[in-house]
Amino acid sequence: MKIMTKNFKAFAITSLAIFALASCAKKEAVADDSQVETVYAVNTYKTKHGNLDNYLEFGGDVGAVSSVAVLPDMAGKISQKLVSVGQMVSKNQTIAYVDASLPGLNYSASPVRAPISGRITSFIPTLGTQVSQGTVIANIAQTDDLEIKVSIPERFISRITMGQEAVVTFDAYPGEEFVAKVFEVSPVLDTSSRTMNVKLRLVKPDSKVKVGMYARIRLVTESKQDAIVVPTSAIISRDGKPYLFVISSRGNPSKVRLTAIVQGISVDNKTEIVQGISAGDEIVIKGQNLLDDGANVNIISVTED
C-alpha cells in the first residue's frame, strides 16, 4: 500500500512538471507571434522634375481670315458661270454674268467680278437663277491664311490672354496635334450667349487644315516648368491634410515615412508638389492607404517615367 502511494506521488510530480514545461513553451510561442510585424506590398514612383500645363478645352470652327461675299451690280438672271467651287481667282476677275434683259428690252450682260484674290468656297446660283443686288453669288476666301473661331464662356475669360498657346486636334487626323496661338480677343461679350469671341491662328500653316473643319482646342492657361509632379492618386488625406508616404530606408523589408506636403495645380491625375518632397524621392503610389508612419513594406515595382 505504501509502495502504491509512493508511485502515485512520483507520477503526479512528473505530470505537473510536463504540464509546466508545456505551458512555458506555449507562452513563449504566443510571445514570439506578438513580435511578428506586418509587411505591406507596395508599388513606388521615383520623383523627378517635369512640366505641368493647366488648360481649358473648347471646340471651334476653322475659317479664313479674309472672306468676302460676292454681290452682282444688277438684278437679273445668271446667264453664264465662269468658275467653280475650289478654283483660285484673282482680284477683278469675272466669275459670272447677269442678264438684266426683260421682254422687249435687251441689255448687255453685266459682269460679276471678284473683289479680292482667293479661292471660291461657295457658288450658289445655277444658270437661269434670278438674282438681285443683295443676292450672294459666291464667297471668296484666302484659304492659305486660316483662323479658328472660339466662343469662351464668361466664367473663363479671366484666363484668356493674347499670345496664349493652344494644342489643336481634328477628327480627320486622329493623334496628330497642331500648335496655335491666340491673336484676337474680343473686348466685349455677346449679351445673349454670355460668351467672348476669340480667334486663334496656327503657328505653322498646314494645307491639311481646311475651312469649315471642327477643331478641338486645348488652351494652356498655366504652365509649371521644372516642377515636381506626382500621380494624384498617390496623395492621401489624414485629418483633412494631404500626405505622401516616402521610402525612408530600403532593405528587407523597407520602411516608409508619412510626409506632409503642399500641393500646387492638378491636371489629368497629376499634381504639382510645392513643398514636402524633393526630386529623386521614392514615394508609394499603390498600397498606401493601409500604411502608417514607419510601416514595413515590400517594394514590388518601381516606376520612373
Side-chain angles (χ1 to χ4, degrees):
M1 193 68 179
K2 289 183 179 181
I3 293 174
M4 288 181 65
T5 302
K6 288 181 180 180
N7 289 340
F8 177 76
K9 287 181 178 180
F11 175 76
I13 293 171
T14 303
S15 299
L16 287 171
I18 292 172
F19 178 76
L21 289 173
S23 298
C24 290
K26 187 175 182 180
K27 288 180 181 179
E28 288 178 2
V30 171
D32 289 342
D33 289 343
S34 65
Q35 293 175 1
V36 175
E37 296 185 27
T38 304
V39 178
Y40 299 91
V42 298
N43 293 347
T44 63
Y45 169 75
K46 191 160 287 187
T47 61
K48 60 183 178 181
H49 288 292
N51 300 332
L52 188 62
D53 294 330
N54 199 3
Y55 60 86
L56 298 171
E57 287 187 314
F58 304 103
D61 297 312
V62 179
V65 173
S66 297
S67 181
V68 176
V70 183
L71 305 175
D73 294 329
M74 296 182 65
K77 295 181 179 179
I78 300 293
S79 61
Q80 194 173 0
K81 293 174 59 176
L82 304 178
V83 296
S84 57
V85 173
Q87 184 176 332
M88 292 293 297
V89 296
S90 57
K91 185 177 180 179
N92 293 323
Q93 179 180 335
T94 301
I95 64 172
Y97 283 95
V98 174
D99 185 1
S101 298
L102 296 172
L105 296 173
N106 294 321
Y107 296 97
S108 298
S110 174
V112 180
R113 293 185 172 90
I116 63 169
S117 297
R119 190 181 299 276
I120 302 291
T121 57
S122 67
F123 202 105
I124 300 173
T126 58
L127 291 177
T129 302
Q130 187 74 36
V131 297
S132 67
Q133 287 93 332
T135 303
V136 176
I137 299 293
N139 283 284
I140 301 175
Q142 295 176 340
T143 55
D144 292 335
D145 194 10
L146 303 179
E147 64 185 16
I148 303 170
K149 301 174 184 178
V150 187
S151 296
I152 306 295
E154 184 177 0
R155 66 183 181 275
F156 296 128
I157 64 174
S158 62
R159 300 169 66 180
I160 308 300
T161 58
M162 289 288 291
Q164 213 163 6
E165 192 170 283
V167 176
V168 182
T169 58
F170 301 95
D171 291 341
Y173 309 110
E176 191 168 355
E177 296 182 342
F178 302 81
V179 179
K181 285 191 176 181
V182 174
F183 78 93
E184 184 179 305
V185 178
S186 175
V188 297
L189 270 68
D190 186 315
T191 54
S192 59
S193 63
R194 295 297 175 187
T195 59
M196 180 176 69
N197 292 325
V198 173
K199 294 181 180 179
L200 300 93
R201 186 174 290 167
L202 294 178
V203 173
K204 294 181 179 179
D206 196 312
S207 60
K208 292 187 294 186
V209 181
K210 310 294 184 183
V211 172
M213 291 179 70
Y214 179 78
R216 301 182 188 278
I217 302 154
R218 194 168 68 221
L219 190 65
V220 178
T221 59
E222 187 178 7
S223 184
K224 298 289 185 177
Q225 307 295 320
D226 294 325
I228 297 176
V229 181
V230 304
T232 303
S233 57
I235 301 171
I236 64 167
S237 180
R238 298 284 169 91
D239 298 324
K241 297 179 181 178
Y243 291 89
L244 286 171
F245 278 105
V246 180
I247 302 299
S248 57
S249 65
R250 265 187 166 271
N252 190 19
S254 300
K255 285 189 174 293
V256 296
R257 179 180 70 251
L258 184 63
T259 303
I261 58 170
V262 176
Q263 302 176 79
I265 64 173
S266 294
V267 183
D268 295 340
N269 196 35
K270 294 181 180 179
T271 298
E272 173 197 15
I273 304 301
V274 177
Q275 186 179 328
I277 62 172
S278 303
D281 285 345
E282 190 175 355
I283 64 170
V284 178
I285 60 173
K286 192 172 183 180
Q288 69 273 23
N289 292 322
L290 299 175
L291 303 179
D292 289 312
D293 188 33
N296 293 323
V297 297
N298 179 27
I299 299 172
I300 304 301
S301 66
V302 181
T303 303
E304 296 188 3
D305 54 5

